[in-house]
Structures are given as C-alpha cells and as structure tokens.
Amino acid sequence: MTETTKTPAPDAAPTPTPAPHGLIPLPTAAARGLLLAGGIATAASAFLAWTWTAEFPGDLTITGYPGGLQWLTFTAGVLTALFALASYGVPGLGWLLPARNNAPLALTALGGFAVTWFTVIAISTKLGGVVNLEPGGWIAAIASLLPVIGAFALPQERTGTNGTKEAIKAYLAKPERIPAPQATAPWIQRAIITVVTIIGLGVFTYGIDTEYGELFVGYLFVVTFAIWALHTAGLLDRFSALVAANRSFTLAMGFAAAIAFPFTQTDDHYANIGVNILIFGTVALGLNIVVGLAGLLDLGYVAFLGVGAYTAALVSGSEFSTISGVHLPFWASALAGAAASLIFGVLIGAPTLRLRGDYLAIVTLGFGEIFRIAVNNMDGQSGPDVTNGPNGIPSIPDLKLLGFNFGEAHDIGGFTLGRFANYYLLMVLIMAIVVLVYTRAADSRIGRSWIAIREDETAATAMGINGFRVKLVAFALGAALAGLAGTVSAHVTYSVVPTPYQFAGSTPPNSAFLLAAVVLGGMGTVAGPLLGAALLYLLPEKLVFLQEKSLLAFGIALILLMRFRPEGIIANRRRQLEFHETGQLDVPKQTTLTDEPAVTKAGA
C-alpha cells in the first residue's frame, strides 16, 4: 500500500500576511496622516482662546496670539509635525530620524498631549470647573489626542513582544544600532555645536524666567519629552560624537553660553537663581570627586561648604566678625576658605578613611552634625566666642576685585548688570577653575587610582595602590573645592548662619541635596552634577506648592530614578555598562528544562 501525499495546486494563492500595525489597529498610511494632521492641529489650536477670563496666568483669552502655556503647546505641535514629515522622507528633514524609528513620533506626541491636557485640567481646577473652558480649549484637547492615536497605531520597531507593557516599551525604545554619521567638515561640526549651544541657552533661560508654577510644569513636560525623543531618534548620540571630536571647542562654547546668560536677563532675581545654581553645582562637582570617582559615601559634605563660608566671613571685614581688624582681599579670603576646608578634610579623613562602606557614611554624617552643633555653640557662652552662635556673622561686605565693586550695578555694552549678575560672572570663572581641576585630576594617574579603589579596593591594593593615601587626596581635594565655593556664598548672602549646614532640609544647601544632585545628574561626569544641582534648586524655587512637601517629592523622585535610570541623567559610560549591558538590571529570561525540547547526543 503506497502512501500518497497531497501537493498544493500550482495555482493556489499563498496565505496573505496581515499588514503590521501597532497597539491601535489602523493602516500605517492612515496612522502617519493622523499623526501629521494632529501635530498641525495641535500647533494651530494654540491660536484659539482657551478660557474666557484672564484670572488664569498667561492670559489665554486672546484669539490669534498664544500666551503662556499655549506657546508650549505650539512648540510641541511643531515638533510632532516635523518628526512626522521626516518619517515621510521629506527632503531636508531626514537628519531628524537617523535611527529610522517611530519612538520620537510617539514621544513628541505625548509631550504635546501632556502639556495641553495639563493646561486644560489646571484651568478647570483653578477657575472652578470645565465651564470656564472656551471652545478653543476643547479643540486643543481633542487635537493633542490625535497624534497620540496615530503614533501608537504605527508598527513597532521590535517584534515578538507580549503584553501591553512590553509593546509600549518597544514603541519608546531606541534601536540598538544607529547608522554612523557621515563625515563632515570641521567647520560644519563647530557650526552645529554653536547652534545647539544657542538653543540650549534659550531653553535654559526660558525655564528660569518662567513666572508661575503652571508654566514651569508645562515647560518640564515639553523639554523632558523633547529630549527623550531626540535620544531615541539617535540625535543625542550623534551630537555626543561631535562633542568628542571637538571637546575643547564645546567646552569653550559652554562657558561662553554661561557668560552670556546674565546679559539675557532684565530681572536680577533670575541672576540670583543662576549664581546659587553655580555655587551648589561647584560644591556638587567637588562631592563628585569623593563619591563619583573614589566611591566614598560622604553624608556630611555640606560642612566643608560651611567651613569655607565661615572662614571668609571672619576675614572679610564684617563688623560682627570676632576677628576684629582683619579685612583680607578676595583672593586671600578665597585661598583661606579653601585651605581651611582642606585642613578640615585631612583632619577628618585621616582617622576615618580606613573605614569602608556604611561605617564611613555614618562617620561623615556625624562630622556634618558636629560641625553644625559646634558653630551653633561657639557664642561665648556655650563655648568660645568664634562664630556668634545661632546669630551667625551678618553684614559681610561686598567683594571688591581690581577696583570692581560686585555690590554695584554696572553698564557693559548697553546692558546693566546688577549685584547678583556680577557674582554670577565671578562664579563662572570659579566654575571654570573647578572644572579644569576636576578633569585634570580625573584623567591623571591619581584619577585612575580613584576609579580602581571605587571598583574594588582590595584588588587595587593588591596591585600596589596605596588606598588610604588615594582616598585622603580625594577627600582633601573635594573639601577644598567646596570651601572655595563657600567663600563666594558668604558674600552673596551677606551673612553666614549654622541653620543651612545640615544633613537634610527643605531648602538647599544640605548634604542630602548635594548627594542627590550628584546621583541625579550622573556620577563620574562633569555636566551631571551641574544639571542635578540646577534641577534640584529650580524645582522648589518654581513649584511653590512643593516647598512644604519637598522632602516627600524628593524621596519619590530618588526612588523613581534608582528604578528607571540608576546611572543618572547624564550617564558615565562605565556605569551605564554596569547597570544595563552587564545584566545587573536587565535580567535575562530564565528557562526551565520543560521549556526546551530534550536534546540527545549521539552515542548516549
């Protein structure tokens, strides 16, 4: 009996493969069209009146001219439309999508949706109901939803995902490989870096100049989703390659942008915010040497800032100084503050740096509290009369350097620079010195020793590195940089009191704030602590409703950061490899014997 096999008829049509689609079942062409139309409609809706009363800040009652949060909706809509046009292959826009993926489209659409719906909800909450919305507000809410639907109807870049959670991750993920950029002339590379620097200065200036909390929240929505979109598109990777090839030029442009900032301000209050950010960023960069490079957990680092500030206050000619008749010039008081902090760093580090881990953290925490209690008790009654106790040292005179009085307004090129703008420019100069010291130290032999100690102190010691000496140098250098920043801080605030120099508090500076700035921004990097300090200082300043619950918001933010991006916003490449590509967070899928078919070797 012969076995017959059935063969398909030669004319049989193959089984059609269903067209790929995303989470929402729409044809790809319709999804792209909806995305583009929604982006244009979102931008256009900003020109309509969203509410009838000017009681909501920003005056969203004018038809034909956006105001306040409407400008952010307009910006998000334009970005969505540009990425949608780039996905169509429009000539001149292909550079926006080097990765050729759909994640940037979804993220820009989410940014427009977030800022628009936040505005609509804020109007309804602040004014007492949705009846306060004009038809333009409803149109904007619906228009911002359209590109989100279109974006999530596009096919996924990664196939084989199971479940909604994995599908959404596939939409918002960056491809593993991005085509290398084509070689460009050096002058073109520098022109790109210059343009990006100007845009960055404009974005930062807009964020500082926001006049009310709702506008700042909308600004955060748009900036966060826009940067995320640029990252997933591969543009940040390409820009990083340009920066690596033009490191000196990029650093010069960064400092040029920092110098240009006070010339963009008409209110000296924003220059005050800028100078405080630079002061805390400088201290955070010094802490980055201790924590980020050497791996030493210091919970009392703010005490070194206090040592520098008190030293400057005692020798700068204040009438309340307990050292009467001493009025050193700024360069001498700055060196005195840095030297005093360095000495304290050595005195504290010498007996304690033989400890490791949690024990070292507890000792440094104790030192920070001892400093605050000590200066609080040196009032002539509970202790020697050195710091005036809880009253501190007020009436610290303004700096005078080479005949330039930092306390007076000056006209430069038609721009008026106030007191805080003067101190801001001084801190830019000090920041340049600190960055130079940090980069040179990190790239030196001692810097490599710090990294070796951080990775494995036992192995580093076995290789011949004197762990105690290396850690003591890191401790002393970080303390000296904090003391240098403290000398300027004393003159900016006019007085020095013991209250701010504690482990945690509702307002900076404090040790928890500084440590969080380093972790949030990215340990082991230069720009990371500066970005972390800027964010942690701006958030309580702009979001007034968070000031009473700042520690709660602070803790939640740290938990989320440790879960989703433990390497920080600006990641050090080594730490990024440790947390992700070596499997510490990305745990491979486990399989059991029953999940795979049995394999029998020949001869078994």
Side-chain angles (χ1 to χ4, degrees), residues 32 35 78-88 93 96-98 104-105 108 226 229-230 233 235:
R32 292 191 186 278
L35 180 68
V78 169
L79 288 176
T80 302
L82 287 175
F83 275 108
L85 290 173
S87 68
Y88 275 107
L93 295 178
L96 281 173
L97 286 174
L105 284 69
T108 52
L230 296 177
L235 290 174

Side-chain angles (χ1 to χ4, degrees), residues 181-203:
Q182 298 178 354
T184 56
W187 70 269
I188 296 179
Q189 296 180 10
R190 296 186 176 185
I192 294 173
I193 293 173
T194 303
V195 171
V196 172
T197 303
I198 294 173
I199 295 174
L201 175 61
V203 172

Side-chain angles (χ1 to χ4, degrees), residues 372-397:
R372 182 178 61 83
I373 295 171
V375 296
N376 197 54
N377 290 333
M378 292 181 181
D379 55 358
Q381 298 178 0
S382 302
D385 188 11
V386 179
T387 64
N388 293 329
N391 295 325
I393 304 176
S395 300
I396 300 174

